[in-house]
């Protein structure tokens, strides 16, 4: 199976290959982690880098399939407290499918 890619921090390499998104849900299916993200527009300099209200409407939700280890790693790198939900956090992803 080809797994998708996800970063908790903005990538510094091949930036044009990554899409920014916001985590909508995290679950498991068939022994893999499934992370649903909604694509958002990149940070805007003119409003201090904050997302605007319509940014979440930029695209349809995308399901990413990850190994459980990659899910644990990327969630551990998010700026959240232990046990806090990653829903609503910004991530960067590449859909590989498989």
């Amino acid at each position: 199976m080809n797994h998708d890619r996800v970063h908790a921090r903005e990538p510094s390499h091949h930036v044009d290959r990554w899409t920014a998104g916001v985590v909508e849900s995290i679950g498991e299916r068939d022994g893999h982690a499934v992370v649903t993200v909604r694509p958002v527009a990149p940070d805007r300099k003119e409003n201090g880098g904050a997302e605007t209200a319509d940014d979440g409407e930029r695209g349809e939700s995308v399901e990413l399939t990850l190994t459980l280890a990659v899910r644990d790693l990327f969630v551990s790198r998010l700026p959240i407290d232990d046990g806090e939900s990653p829903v609503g956090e910004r991530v960067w992803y590449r859909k590989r499918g498989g």
Side-chain angles (χ1 to χ4, degrees):
M1 166 179 273
N2 289 323
H3 290 95
D4 301 312
R5 308 292 191 257
V6 67
H7 280 296
R9 299 179 190 133
E10 187 171 9
S12 59
H13 59 286
H14 303 292
V15 177
D16 58 321
R17 295 184 187 176
W18 297 90
T19 302
V22 174
V23 176
E24 290 190 326
S25 67
I26 293 183
E28 292 183 25
R29 185 183 321 135
D30 300 325
H32 298 280
V34 178
V35 179
T36 305
V37 297
R38 179 170 299 276
V40 296
D43 286 340
R44 293 186 176 93
K45 299 293 183 196
E46 64 270 13
N47 68 2
E51 295 174 27
T52 59
D54 66 331
D55 283 346
E57 305 300 322
R58 304 294 271 177
E60 294 295 317
S61 295
V62 176
E63 274 194 358
L64 306 174
T65 303
L66 312 170
T67 65
L68 298 175
V70 168
R71 177 212 49 203
D72 293 345
L73 178 64
F74 109 81
V75 169
S76 75
R77 291 181 174 177
L78 290 171
I80 58 176
D81 293 328
D82 288 340
E84 190 176 2
S85 172
V87 172
E89 292 295 320
R90 188 177 189 93
V91 297
W92 288 262
Y93 68 92
R94 284 177 38 197
K95 183 78 178 153
R96 300 276 298 222

